[in-house]
Amino acid sequence: MRIAVVTDFEGGARLRELAADGTPTGPVRTVSDLAGVVADYRRHATGQPRWVWASTGEVYPPLVERSLRLGRCHDVGLVEALLLGYHGRLGEAHSLGAAWARLHGRPVPDDLRAPPGAGAEPPPALFEPDLSTLPPGVDRLDALVEVHADQQRRIAGLPEPGRFALLAAVESAGALAAVEMAHDGVPWRADVHDAILAEQLGPRPSNGARPPVLAELAARISAEFGREVNPDSPAQLLRAFAAIGHPVGSTRSWELRQVEHPVVPFVLRYKELSRLHSACGWAWLDTWVRHGRFRPDYVVGGVVSGRWATRGGGALQIPKTVRRAVRADPGWTLVSADAGQLEPRVLAAVSGDRALAAAAGSDDLYARLGTVFGGGGVSEEEARQRAKIGVLSAMYGQTSGDAAALLSTMRRAFPRAMEYVDTAARAGEEGRLVRSWLGRTCPPPSSRWRRLVSGGPGGEPDGDGGRAARERGRFTRNFVVQATAAEWALVFLAGVRRRLVARDTGRESARLVFFQHDELVLHVPEPLADDCVALLREAEEETRLLLFGDTEVRFPLDIAVVDCYADA
DNA sequence: GAAATTTGCCAC
DNA sequence: AAACGTGGCAAATTTC
C-alpha cells in the first residue's frame, strides 16, 4: 500500500491511500497529528506502507524529531530528477510543482534553492513550504497524487521498469537515511579533536591568528628565502622559488618534493599543517560539532553519478588523522563496513566478463589478477600493483605512463570488460548518453561542448574539440562504473537501514551514522554488535542478488568493530 | 566591497 | 609518475 501525504507545516497533514500504480483507493483524510497517525501505522498496519511525498527533507525531519522511523517512501522530487535524467534532461526543475506544470503544459517554475547550510544549528524552519511552485488554486495533495501516478506510468513504460523502480526506491530510502543521519550525528569527541590540533599546531591562538607552529614555520620559510613570503600564497611561493634558482611549474607538493633545497621540508610541513588548521581546525570544530555529535548535511543524488554530496562540513573528506576524534559513546561501539575494490567488481558484474568475474570471486581481486600481469621475474606484489593500475586505467581512461602497455594486457585478458568501458567512452565522445545498471543517466553534453566538437569550418573537431570529446569519453567511461557502484552502495544502505528500522526500539538501538560512497558506519550498543555484523552480511548478500542475480562476482565487506573510527 | 575564479589538497 | 574519474572546501587572487 502507498499513502500520499502533504503536510500543513504545523504538524497536521492530508493523506490518501493509493494502489501501487498510484490510483487513489480511498478518500482524503485530514489529520491534525501526522506523527500520531504514522506511529499508528507502524504499530498496527499489516505490511508497512510506502509514503509518497513531494520532498523527504520537507516531511520527514519533524517525524524523526519525534523519534519515528519510517520503512519506505517515494520521493517525488528525487524520482522526477531520475526520470528527467533518463531522457537527457538532467538539471531541469524537478520539484512537485515543476512536474505538475510539465504534465499540464504550464510554465515550469524553477526549483527553490535549498536553504544554505547552517552548521550544527538547525535552522528555525527546516524547510520553507514549497507551496510557491504550484499555481494558486491547485490542490497540493491532488497534484501529488497525479504526478506520482504519472511517474509510475513513466517507469512502467521504460525498457527495464523493474530496475528503474529499484533505483527510485533506493534513492528515496537514501533520503530517509540522510535525514536520520543528520539527526543522529557522528559521535565526535571535541576534546580528542582539540588534543590532536594542539599536538600538531600548538595551543589554540586566542584571536584567530596563526597557530604557533604555523607561525614558526612561516618565519623559518621567509628566513630561508631571504625575503618575506606568505606560504599560503602560491604566487609568492612561485616567485620565491624562482628567485633562489629553483623555478617550479606549480607549488603542488609532489612537484616541490623534487626540489633539493633546505626550504622545501618547511614548506611541505607548512602546507600539511595549514590544511589541517583551515579544513578541520578549531573553527570547523566550533561550527560543526555540538553536544558530541558531528551532523553532516548530506545531499542525496548531489553528484551526477548518484554519489552523495554534502553541504558544508566536508563530511566526505574527513582526513585520516582527524578520525581519531570519532569515538563510540561509553557502552557503545562503532561497526564499520567497507566494500573493498567495489568498482572493479562492479565492472566484472555489469560487463559479464568471465575472467574478470572469476577474479572478482576472490577477496583480493588485484592479487588474483597479478597472475595475468606477472611473469618475467616480477614479484607478486609488483604484479598486483600493475594489475591495479591496469584496471584503474581502464575505468578512468588513463593513457599516460605505463598505462598503455597495461591496457593492452587488459584487452587481451579481459576483452568483454574492456569492450564495456570502451563502448561507454565512444558513446560519450559522440555526444550520446550512457546509463548505470539501474538506469541512472549521465548529463547530456552542453551546447558549448557540441559547438566545440562539431568544431572548425570543415566540421572536423579541432584541437579543443578533440580534447573536449576525449574528456567526455573519459567521463562516460567512468560513469557507467562509478554510477553502478554508487547504486550498489545505495541498495546496500537501503537494506541495512530497513533491517535497523525493523529492530528499532528507541534510544538503545543501533543507528546508521555515516555513509561515504562505499562505506557505512553504525553506532551500536555493545551487546548488539554481533547482530549488526550479521545484518551487514545479510544485506550484502541481498544487494548482490537484487542487482546482479546469479553472478560469480563477490562484494566482500571489510567489517570492523571498533571504539575509534581511526582503527577501522 | 562583494562575487567569481584559481589554486591546491582532502576523500572515494 | 604527476593530463586519471567524481566531488568539497578554504585562502588567495581577480573581476565587477
Side-chain angles (χ1 to χ4, degrees):
Chain A
M1 188 206 355
R2 294 179 175 232
I3 304 174
V5 51
V6 298
T7 69
D8 62 9
F9 301 97
E10 290 169 2
R14 288 186 302 137
L15 316 170
R16 194 160 192 194
E17 295 193 359
L18 310 173
D21 69 353
T23 313
T25 55
V28 175
R29 272 177 75 197
T30 303
V31 300
S32 59
D33 177 25
L34 175 61
V37 172
V38 164
D40 277 347
Y41 271 105
R42 281 222 60 183
R43 276 194 298 273
H44 303 304
T46 54
Q48 290 301 306
R50 185 180 296 278
W51 298 89
V52 176
W53 51 49
S55 155
T56 305
E58 177 187 290
V59 182
Y60 197 39
L63 300 176
V64 172
E65 284 297 323
R66 306 254 316 248
S67 302
L68 287 163
R69 299 282 151 131
L70 297 185
R72 314 185 293 171
C73 78
H74 174 114
D75 184 306
V76 161
L78 290 176
V79 174
E80 188 66 21
L82 291 170
L83 280 165
L84 282 169
Y86 190 93
H87 295 104
R89 300 169 65 175
L90 204 68
E92 291 188 32
H94 57 270
S95 68
L96 170 63
W100 185 91
R102 267 191 295 267
L103 202 49
H104 290 268
R106 304 272 202 102
V108 177
D110 287 337
D111 289 341
L112 298 180
R113 275 169 49 84
E121 221 58 68
L126 210 54
F127 284 83
E128 293 301 317
D130 164 27
L131 301 169
S132 60
T133 64
L134 278 174
V138 175
D139 182 88
R140 205 166 145 75
L141 181 58
D142 289 348
L144 174 67
V145 168
E146 191 183 354
V147 168
H148 168 255
D150 182 58
Q151 290 184 341
Q152 293 299 84
R153 270 194 298 278
R154 286 147 74 195
I155 292 172
L158 295 174
E160 294 274 5
R163 289 193 191 179
F164 203 91
L166 176 58
L167 179 59
V170 295
E171 189 88 333
S172 298
L176 296 174
V179 169
E180 291 158 3
M181 285 192 281
H183 175 263
D184 290 326
V186 183
W188 200 285
R189 286 272 298 275
D191 58 328
V192 174
H193 190 151
D194 180 71
I196 294 168
L197 296 176
E199 180 189 313
Q200 309 227 29
L201 300 168
R204 176 177 194 170
S206 51
N207 49 2
R210 251 184 199 147
V213 174
L214 279 180
E216 283 160 32
L217 281 166
R220 191 69 192 261
I221 288 164
S222 289
E224 291 285 346
F225 279 125
R227 61 199 274 190
E228 193 63 34
V229 174
N230 174 9
D232 284 321
S233 163
Q236 285 186 35
L237 270 182
L238 229 45
R239 281 196 295 273
F241 271 103
I244 58 169
H246 290 280
V248 286
S250 77
T251 63
R252 291 179 169 84
S253 299
W254 64 263
E255 196 162 342
L256 296 187
R257 255 187 281 276
Q258 335 254 328
V259 176
E260 286 197 42
H261 187 278
V263 77
V264 169
F266 297 115
V267 175
L268 292 176
R269 183 71 180 147
Y270 181 92
K271 281 170 157 290
E272 202 180 317
L273 292 180
S274 163
R275 160 111 195 146
L276 175 70
H277 178 242
S278 66
C280 25
W282 290 285
W284 182 92
L285 198 49
D286 288 348
T287 310
W288 288 99
V289 177
R290 286 275 186 288
H291 311 301
R293 292 291 186 268
F294 166 41
R295 295 190 165 78
D297 188 6
Y298 292 103
V299 185
V300 175
V303 179
V304 286
S305 64
R307 296 200 324 189
W308 291 8
T310 54
R311 226 175 339 236
L316 302 180
Q317 309 125 254
I318 301 167
K320 305 265 195 233
T321 49
V322 176
R323 296 183 181 187
R324 271 164 51 203
V326 181
R327 305 281 172 103
D329 290 349
W332 291 59
T333 190
L334 300 172
V335 180
S336 87
D338 183 314
Q341 307 169 342
L342 179 57
E343 293 193 347
R345 292 172 194 280
V346 159
L347 175 58
V350 297
S351 67
D353 188 290
R354 296 285 297 274
L356 194 56
S362 78
D363 275 359
D364 189 346
L365 176 148
Y366 295 129
R368 187 64 68 86
L369 255 49
T371 56
V372 174
F373 289 84
V378 171
S379 77
E380 246 174 69
E381 182 47 38
E382 176 66 17
R384 182 184 180 281
Q385 209 49 39
R386 282 193 197 178
K388 188 170 172 177
I389 294 173
V391 172
L392 293 177
S393 302
M395 294 188 303
Y396 290 157
Q398 180 178 335
T399 51
S400 62
D402 298 339
L406 297 173
L407 279 176
S408 70
T409 306
M410 284 289 297
R411 279 205 174 78
R412 194 159 9 87
F414 311 109
R416 293 196 53 187
M418 285 305 294
E419 193 190 315
Y420 194 86
V421 287
D422 286 346
T423 300
R426 216 174 308 119
E429 288 172 7
E430 292 168 6
R432 287 180 281 127
L433 302 174
V434 298
R435 308 186 198 285
S436 71
W437 187 247
L438 294 184
R440 192 187 301 270
T441 305
C442 78
S446 64
S447 49
R448 195 186 102 83
W449 184 91
R450 288 193 186 284
R451 274 200 307 279
L452 221 50
V453 172
S454 65
E460 277 303 299
D462 53 14
D464 286 347
R467 197 170 317 117
R470 282 191 301 279
E471 224 168 78
R472 188 171 146 85
R474 281 195 300 275
F475 165 56
T476 51
R477 168 190 296 274
N478 183 254
F479 183 94
V480 292
V481 178
Q482 186 182 119
T484 304
E487 61 204 16
W488 182 95
L490 266 186
V491 174
F492 178 60
L493 171 72
V496 170
R497 183 186 171 277
R498 206 183 64 244
R499 287 168 172 79
L500 290 176
V501 169
R503 288 161 165 80
D504 182 27
T505 55
R507 298 181 64 82
E508 295 295 305
S509 304
R511 296 284 190 229
L512 247 168
V513 293
F514 192 52
F515 174 53
Q516 178 173 242
H517 308 315
D518 59 359
E519 180 185 7
L520 282 182
V521 180
L522 311 184
H523 190 218
V524 179
E526 268 168 5
L528 301 181
D530 288 345
D531 177 53
C532 282
V533 172
L535 160 172
L536 288 163
R537 302 254 179 240
E538 247 179 66
E540 181 274 314
E541 171 101 5
E542 178 184 75
T543 301
R544 172 166 46 80
L545 289 170
L546 267 174
L547 279 177
F548 303 120
D550 182 25
T551 174
E552 207 179 337
V553 178
R554 288 294 172 273
F555 296 87
L557 292 178
D558 191 359
I559 297 182
V561 181
V562 289
D563 279 328
C564 172
Y565 184 37
D567 301 330

